[in-house]
Amino acid sequence: MDFNMKKLAADAGTFLSRAVQFTEEKLGQAEKTELDAHLENLLSKAECTKIWTEKIMKQTEVLLQPNPNARIEEFVYEKLDRKAPSRINNPELLGQYMIDAGTEFGPGTAYGNALIKCGETQKRIGTADRELIQTSALNFLTPLRNFIEGDYKTIAKERKLLQNKRLDLDAAKTRLKKAKAAETRSSQLNSARLEGDNIMIWAEEVTKSEQELRITQSEFDRQAEITRLLLEGISSTHAHHLRCLNDFVEAQMTYYAQCYQYMLDLQKQLGSFPSSYLSNNNQTSGTPVPSSLANAVGSPAVASTSGIVITSPSNLNDLKESSGSRKARVLYDYDAANSTELSLLADEVITVFSVVGMDSDWLMGERGNQKGKVPITYLELLN
């Protein structure tokens, strides 16, 4: 108990000495030991790294999860060391609504079929979005958070300790300076006995202050070296964060590539629904032309767009001029506009032939006992 009281009293004395030194420095009444330029630059670099890492980390979290309530919930579960419950994301929710609506309107209708296909694509985008969040959190956000909550906290702790050692050093310098000044004044007094005793007292005080200064200087130098070694690791931190940034960019690249491919596939499946709606609603005999094929149909040769093989017009014209029939694969779904047309489903194979007097953009299609006009731009002739 006596030991603890002595230690507590010593700590209180040290704290008071640092407070006095700090106050006198602020008032310009005491000298301050400046750190060397290299160490100051390292400290500035570490502080700058900490500030920008926090900003990048927080904004990345906003990018990946725009909902602030969801971010707070994830933060609470993280602090409780529990896994946050799985939550449906916005693309998945939109996809489910589209699928439900398409089912309600009827998969056999153009609009219902399109809604279902769009809904399935939105769900795939939602899954890709979930994978992006997981990959980014693991490979990018976690290393940044580890730096803020780990490495930088250690640096801040050692930096604070260095500040305390500097205050101890400067306080020792101040005491030595005062002791030497008092010794000088005492030595200038004349030969009275009492004054001689004062000289001895101040000489002992100077010796004690010099010893204390050597100790505090040694502790300060040692702490400055420890802090310097930690701060020099910031360069390694930057190199590590660069690798993490590359991982984040790669995750984003994969995500956007997946989304692009999903939408490309969806566009191929939908074909040119707006054009077909127009022809269906107006009950015209004009041929709907898929937008993805608009430029390719004019080519005299077989064109390929995103893996789709398009039948050249010359082959179709040959068929129209001949009296025979051919097998053809349907490229896109098509809803008949009236009873003279034949509804089509993508990838099915039907028999097509030409009828004298029929519009040049149409052929007669046959599937079992069903027969009707079909648009040639929706077909690929088979050999």
Side-chain angles (χ1 to χ4, degrees):
M1 183 65 180
D2 184 55
F3 171 76
N4 291 336
M5 289 300 297
K6 288 181 178 179
K7 184 177 183 301
L8 181 62
D11 290 342
T14 301
F15 176 79
L16 181 60
S17 174
R18 290 170 181 170
V20 171
Q21 177 65 28
F22 182 79
T23 303
E24 290 181 348
E25 288 177 0
K26 290 297 182 182
L27 296 175
Q29 299 175 357
E31 296 181 0
K32 176 182 177 181
T33 300
E34 298 294 340
L35 302 177
D36 65 82
H38 178 61
L39 187 56
E40 286 285 5
N41 289 336
L42 289 176
L43 288 169
S44 177
K45 184 178 181 181
E47 183 66 19
C48 183
T49 301
K50 180 251 187 184
I51 291 173
W52 285 109
T53 299
E54 284 182 332
K55 289 183 178 181
I56 291 172
M57 184 176 68
K58 289 178 180 178
Q59 193 56 39
T60 303
E61 291 173 347
V62 172
L63 173 68
L64 297 177
Q65 178 51 271
N67 188 341
N69 294 328
R71 292 200 302 274
I72 293 174
E73 181 182 354
E74 291 171 357
F75 175 79
V76 171
Y77 275 100
E78 181 182 348
K79 292 302 179 184
L80 295 175
D81 199 20
R82 294 174 58 185
K83 184 178 180 181
S86 179
R87 183 189 299 103
I88 187 170
N89 57 31
N90 291 331
E92 291 173 333
L93 185 59
L94 175 60
Q96 189 59 53
Y97 285 165
M98 285 183 169
I99 291 174
D100 293 343
T103 303
E104 183 75 17
F105 296 146
T109 65
Y111 185 42
N113 191 10
L115 280 172
I116 292 175
K117 290 179 177 179
C118 288
E120 291 171 349
T121 300
Q122 290 295 331
K123 279 196 165 186
R124 285 194 287 269
I125 291 175
T127 301
D129 185 68
R130 195 182 299 277
E131 292 173 354
L132 171 65
I133 293 175
Q134 293 174 350
T135 303
S136 300
L138 179 64
N139 296 337
F140 187 60
L141 289 178
T142 298
L144 297 187
R145 188 175 292 108
N146 288 342
F147 168 73
I148 296 297
E149 298 179 356
D151 295 348
Y152 188 79
K153 279 190 175 181
T154 302
I155 291 174
K157 178 182 176 182
E158 296 298 333
R159 181 178 182 175
K160 182 179 179 180
L161 190 55
L162 176 63
Q163 172 73 356
N164 290 336
K165 296 299 183 183
R166 186 198 62 76
L167 289 172
D168 292 343
L169 174 61
D170 289 337
K173 288 180 178 179
T174 300
R175 284 193 292 271
L176 177 59
K177 184 178 180 180
K178 290 179 179 179
K180 285 185 176 182
E183 182 186 28
T184 301
R185 286 195 303 270
S186 297
S187 65
Q188 292 173 353
L189 297 177
N190 293 325
S191 58
R193 174 75 181 196
L194 183 59
E195 302 303 335
D197 290 341
N198 271 344
I199 294 174
M200 293 296 297
I201 292 173
W202 286 114
E204 292 176 1
E205 184 65 24
V206 169
T207 302
K208 180 181 177 182
S209 297
E210 289 176 342
Q211 182 180 3
E212 182 182 0
L213 178 60
R214 285 193 295 270
I215 294 173
T216 54
Q217 182 70 59
S218 175
E219 291 179 348
F220 171 77
D221 292 341
R222 178 176 177 276
Q223 185 59 38
E225 182 64 18
I226 292 173
T227 307
R228 183 185 63 79
L229 291 174
L230 283 174
L231 292 172
E232 286 178 345
I234 291 294
S235 297
S236 300
T237 299
H238 284 188
H240 178 53
H241 287 181
L242 175 58
R243 292 192 294 271
C244 297
L245 181 61
N246 286 332
D247 291 340
F248 178 54
V249 171
E250 184 176 348
Q252 284 186 303
M253 182 182 68
T254 301
Y255 168 72
Y256 290 120
Q258 286 178 326
C259 292
Y260 174 77
Q261 187 60 49
Y262 292 153
M263 299 311 296
L264 197 63
D265 293 342
L266 176 62
Q267 186 184 44
K268 291 194 297 185
Q269 292 177 29
L270 295 180
S272 182
F273 271 115
S275 297
S276 64
Y277 292 157
L278 183 62
S279 64
N280 290 345
N281 292 337
N282 294 337
Q283 299 293 307
T284 64
S285 60
T287 305
V289 180
S291 58
S292 61
L293 307 183
N295 296 329
V297 170
S299 172
V302 176
S304 176
T305 304
S306 302
I308 305 176
V309 178
I310 304 167
T311 307
S312 66
S314 60
N315 291 339
L316 292 170
N317 291 334
D318 292 343
L319 175 62
K320 291 182 71 65
E321 293 173 359
S322 68
S323 58
S325 61
R326 292 277 297 274
K327 292 291 184 180
R329 184 174 70 86
V330 178
L331 296 175
Y332 309 98
D333 291 348
Y334 176 71
D335 287 336
N338 51 53
S339 58
T340 65
E341 298 179 7
L342 179 65
S343 294
L344 303 174
L345 293 176
D347 293 327
E348 71 172 326
V349 177
I350 63 172
T351 302
V352 293
F353 55 91
S354 177
V355 175
V356 177
M358 182 178 290
D359 189 282
S360 61
D361 293 328
W362 296 79
L363 290 172
M364 186 62 69
E366 189 176 71
R367 179 181 56 228
N369 296 327
Q370 296 178 318
K371 188 181 296 185
K373 295 191 302 180
V374 294
I376 62 175
T377 53
Y378 278 59
L379 302 175
E380 175 191 3
L381 292 181
L382 302 177
N383 293 327

